[in-house]
């Protein structure tokens, strides 16, 4: 198989690493890739937003499958354009990708199909949104409707925070993504990430994970795209996974089919596990980042047949097995992230760090210049490890982190804290 992977982050490095291990693979390209991905695939300087250029590349190189990593090209309809050109692609079409590209769309799907989620209203006017907030009080959640790189959500603990978030979003803080906002009920419980592979008709549950969104230890600081994750999520018992499939995933697939927008690809449900059971916080229509990294470490066997089965409507004949050992990843980010940060700083010690037991390092925002690895993004490295327990995976990951020399970087030191406490009976 000739496979083209689109994207340049840690999620794509993890996917490239997993795809590269397939005996079915003939050639793997990644566009545009990064310094880590270049060790698994041939990186090509394609503009992912230029769909015609991607199509020409696929035809010239006889690409059998395109795997779309990030959400932006999915929301822009790249899968539809590739399909129209006769090229198979893993991921949803533009209409189905609205499950991520419009939070309001997803909330309406939930309301219309009895899918458990937080109570909400949609607003295009700041005054009306503020009236709703005053009527409901804080804590309350304000979300930009469109794509905002994982940062378009404000969990406001006070009225002033909530009102400021409305002004910020309608004031262009997230560009066009904030032209409409969703204001919703604050849910209490434990968050978890649930992934299902979908072929339009059938859904196959994958592993669960839990991520850490806040920038600093103790869940302090601003929301980020994710500072670390571990899998499996202890809160996702067999019963909770079954309920998530029955009450959330399956009704969503049915609803999208009825809309003429059958969902194929990965459906990533961000959940709140409440006293009443699982409730949907939001959908993403691709693998999470950094959750994908821990999923790929725990996945047994070959991912490539699963990707084809999702494209071809064959998931009902398919099953996926997982290593029982937990996996954990620590994100190393540039100081200042998620705000402004320096680029081009040098990172040393990666080869030594990768030798730590059970460790795999995925690059998120790196480039190589004259044999040196330089930071080129906000989230820069994913230091991952497997262990017999979460505590062991955590210890291995931080041992590797401590072998990396990068004065301009930082990471949280408490990834997996809640799961480790559970293991100790805390």
């Amino acid at each position: 198989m000739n496979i083209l992977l689109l994207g340049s982050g840690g999620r794509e490095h993890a996917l490239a690493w997993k795809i590269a291990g397939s005996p079915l693979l003939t050639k793997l390209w990644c566009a545009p890739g990064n310094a880590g991905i270049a060790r698994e695939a041939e990186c090509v300087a394609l503009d992912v937003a230029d769909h015609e250029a991607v199509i020409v590349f696929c035809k010239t190189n006889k690409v059998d499958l395109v795997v779309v990593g990030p959400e932006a090209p999915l929301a822009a309809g790249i899968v539809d354009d590739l399909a129209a050109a006769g090229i198979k692609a893993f991921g949803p079409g533009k209409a189905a990708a609205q499950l991520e590209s419009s939070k309001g769309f997803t909330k309406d799907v939930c309301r219309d199909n009895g899918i458990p989620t937080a109570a909400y209203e949609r607003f295009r006017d700041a005054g009306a949104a503020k009236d709703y907030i005053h009527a409901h009080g804080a804590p309350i959640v304000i979300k930009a409707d469109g794509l905002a790189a994982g940062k378009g959500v404000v969990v406001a603990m006070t009225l002033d925070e909530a009102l400021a978030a409305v002004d910020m979003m309608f004031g262009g803080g997230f560009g066009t993504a904030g032209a409409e906002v969703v204001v919703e009920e604050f849910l209490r419980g434990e968050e978890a990430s649930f992934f299902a592979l979908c072929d339009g008709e059938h859904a196959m549950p994958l592993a669960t994970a839990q991520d850490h969104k806040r920038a600093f230890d103790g869940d302090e600081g601003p929301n980020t795209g994710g500072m670390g994750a571990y899998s499996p999520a202890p809160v996702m018992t067999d019963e909770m996974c079954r309920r998530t499939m029955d009450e959330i995933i399956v009704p969503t697939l049915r609803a999208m089919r009825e809309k003429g927008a059958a969902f194929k690809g990965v459906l990533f449900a961000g959940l709140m596990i409440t006293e009443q059971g699982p409730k949907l916080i939001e959908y993403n229509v691709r693998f999470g980042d950094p959750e994908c990294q821990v999923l790929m470490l725990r996945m047994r066997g070959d991912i490539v047949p699963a990707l084809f089965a999702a494209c071809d409507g064959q998931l009902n004949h398919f099953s996926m097995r997982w290593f029982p050992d937990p996996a954990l990843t620590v994100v190393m980010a540039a100081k200042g992230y998620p705000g402004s940060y320096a680029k081009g700083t040098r990172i040393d010690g990666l080869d030594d760090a990768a030798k730590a037991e059970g460790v795999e390092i995925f690059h998120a925002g790196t480039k190589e210049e004259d044999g040196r690895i330089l930071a080129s993004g906000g989230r820069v490295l994913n230091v991952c490890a497997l262990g017999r327990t979460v505590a062991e995976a955590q210890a291995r990951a931080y041992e590797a982190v401590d072998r990396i020399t990068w004065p301009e970087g930082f990471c949280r030191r408490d990834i997996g804290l809640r799961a480790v406490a559970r293991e100790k009976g805390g």
Side-chain angles (χ1 to χ4, degrees), residues 133 137-143 153-166 169 183-186 188 214 223:
I133 289 165
I140 199 162
V141 181
I142 297 91
K143 297 179 176 180
V153 177
V154 174
V155 179
M157 302 310 290
T158 67
L159 271 180
D160 285 347
E161 278 182 80
L163 300 174
V166 169
M169 290 185 193
V183 182
E184 66 178 41
E185 169 194 13
F186 175 82
R188 297 185 188 276
R214 299 281 185 170
N223 257 337

Side-chain angles (χ1 to χ4, degrees), residues 32 69 82 88 97 101 103 120 148 193 198 217 226-227 235 242 253 262 269 329:
L82 287 164
K88 189 170 293 191
S101 65
K103 292 183 174 66
Y120 75 102
S193 302
C198 306
D217 286 13
M227 293 300 293
V235 73
R242 184 193 61 75
L253 280 194
T329 183

Side-chain angles (χ1 to χ4, degrees), residues 189-192 210-212 218-219 230 234-235 272-273 328 390 394 412 414-426:
E190 188 169 345
E191 288 190 50
Q210 213 155 27
D211 78 333
H212 299 256
D219 289 327
Y230 54 93
V235 73
M272 185 69 78
I273 309 306
L328 181 142
V390 179
Q394 182 194 57
R412 283 182 56 162
D414 64 346
I415 301 302
L417 193 67
R418 187 178 279 178
V420 171
R422 263 200 177 97
E423 287 178 347
K424 292 176 179 174

Side-chain angles (χ1 to χ4, degrees), residues 51-278:
H51 296 187
E52 190 53 43
V54 175
I55 289 166
V56 168
F57 179 90
C58 291
K59 289 186 171 178
T60 303
N61 292 282
K62 298 183 171 58
V63 169
D64 298 293
L65 178 68
V66 178
V67 179
V68 186
E71 62 274 17
L74 294 169
I78 194 163
V79 169
D80 306 281
D81 291 345
L82 287 164
I87 299 161
K88 189 170 293 191
F90 175 79
K94 183 176 184 176
Q98 287 180 95
L99 287 170
E100 178 167 1
S101 65
S102 170
K103 292 183 174 66
F105 173 86
T106 295
K107 298 296 285 191
D108 289 352
V109 168
C110 290
R111 181 196 62 203
D112 296 345
N113 293 275
I115 296 166
T117 191
Y120 75 102
E121 286 292 342
R122 302 172 68 172
F123 299 96
R124 288 187 167 272
D125 171 72
K130 289 179 177 182
D131 289 344
Y132 183 87
I133 289 165
H134 278 296
H136 287 79
I140 199 162
V141 181
I142 297 91
K143 297 179 176 180
D145 179 72
L147 297 178
K151 304 182 193 76
V153 177
V154 174
V155 179
M157 302 310 290
T158 67
L159 271 180
D160 285 347
E161 278 182 80
L163 300 174
V166 169
D167 286 335
M168 178 269 290
M169 290 185 193
F170 281 118
F174 295 121
T176 57
E180 179 176 321
V181 302
V182 174
V183 182
E184 66 178 41
E185 169 194 13
F186 175 82
L187 294 176
R188 297 185 188 276
E190 188 169 345
E191 288 190 50
S193 302
F194 185 92
F195 297 85
L197 210 55
C198 306
D199 66 6
E201 183 88 24
H202 314 98
M204 179 179 73
L206 301 177
T208 62
Q210 213 155 27
D211 78 333
H212 299 256
K213 284 289 188 201
R214 299 281 185 170
F216 308 127
D217 286 13
D219 289 327
E220 298 289 333
N223 257 337
T224 71
M227 293 300 293
Y230 54 93
S231 173
V235 73
M236 294 303 293
T237 60
D238 289 347
E239 167 71 2
M240 209 56 71
C241 289
R242 184 193 61 75
R243 286 189 62 183
T244 300
M245 286 295 289
D246 292 348
E247 298 172 24
I248 296 176
I249 303 295
V250 170
T252 300
L253 280 194
R254 184 173 61 244
M256 296 307 288
R257 278 199 312 276
E258 289 169 356
K259 287 178 176 290
F263 187 93
K264 294 185 176 186
V266 175
L267 196 52
F268 164 11
L271 303 175
M272 185 69 78
I273 309 306
T274 70
E275 289 181 354
Q276 296 80 39

